[in-house]
Amino acid sequence: MPLKLRAELPPFEGVTEWVNGAVDPQQLQGKPILIHFWAVSCYMCKDGLPTLNEWRDKFGEQYGMSIIGVHMPRSEKDTDIEDVKKTIEQYELKHPIAIDNDHKVTDSFQNEYVPGYYLFDGNGQMRFYGAGEKALGMVEQRIHKILGPKE
C-alpha cells in the first residue's frame, strides 16, 4: 500500500546511482515535487516519458515544480544500469533519476507499481498518488488543482 495522503516526502537513501545529478533535500524545500516511478521494461512508463519532459518544462516554470524519476526494476534484466542510462538518453530525460536497484527508495515510498506518480506540495506533504495506465491522465489535473489554476 502506498504512502497515505499528507505523508511527508521520504528521504532518497540507498540509491544505487543517480543520473542527471543527485537530489539535494535542501533544494527541494518549499517546492512542489512530482516523483515518478518507472522501469525500462514497462511500455506504459516509456509512453509517458515525453509527457513528463513537457511537464518538467511547463510546470517547472509555472509552479517551480521539480520532477524526480525513480527507476524501479521489475526483473533482474531491469537492473542493467547501462540499459537504464540508454533509455534516459533516448527519451531525453534531464531531471534527476534515482536508479533504485535495491528498492530502498521504492520501499520508503511503499510503492508497488510502475508507472507510479506521487505529487508533493511545497510543504513536502503528499497530495496525490496514482498508478497504472490511467494515472498519467489524472496527474496533470491534480497538479493544477493542488498547485493553482492554469495560466
Side-chain angles (χ1 to χ4, degrees):
M1 185 161 169
L3 292 175
K4 295 186 184 298
L5 286 178
R6 304 276 184 196
E8 295 293 320
L9 177 67
F12 289 89
E13 295 176 355
V15 171
T16 307
E17 185 173 332
W18 283 99
V19 179
N20 299 329
V23 168
D24 177 355
Q26 298 296 326
Q27 292 178 331
L28 297 177
Q29 290 183 349
K31 293 182 178 180
I33 305 160
L34 178 64
I35 311 295
H36 168 243
F37 284 83
W38 65 287
V40 291
S41 62
C42 168
Y43 76 90
M44 283 187 294
C45 298
K46 289 178 178 177
D47 286 349
L49 294 177
T51 301
L52 284 172
N53 284 338
E54 291 173 22
W55 291 350
R56 180 193 65 229
D57 298 339
K58 178 181 175 183
F59 299 134
E61 185 175 314
Q62 187 174 353
Y63 298 118
M65 186 178 84
S66 295
I67 293 180
I68 300 168
V70 179
H71 181 266
M72 175 188 140
R74 300 187 307 165
S75 68
E76 188 66 33
K77 188 173 186 280
D78 282 358
T79 63
D80 181 341
I81 292 175
E82 290 309 311
D83 193 30
V84 176
K85 288 180 177 180
K86 284 178 189 170
T87 303
I88 290 168
E89 189 174 321
Q90 176 186 352
Y91 286 89
E92 301 177 351
L93 304 177
K94 295 182 174 107
H95 52 274
I97 309 268
I99 298 176
D100 191 31
N101 281 356
D102 297 325
H103 283 206
K104 303 273 190 204
V105 176
T106 301
D107 291 347
S108 71
F109 276 78
Q110 302 167 24
N111 187 62
E112 298 177 28
Y113 305 104
V114 291
Y117 304 92
Y118 294 77
L119 179 63
F120 291 83
D121 64 18
N123 296 319
Q125 292 187 335
M126 190 178 82
R127 301 293 304 273
F128 171 77
Y129 164 74
E133 193 171 0
K134 297 186 184 201
L136 188 67
M138 296 170 27
V139 174
E140 184 168 5
Q141 75 182 88
R142 295 295 181 166
I143 289 170
H144 290 299
K145 182 177 180 186
I146 292 164
L147 302 181
K150 291 182 185 180
E151 288 186 357

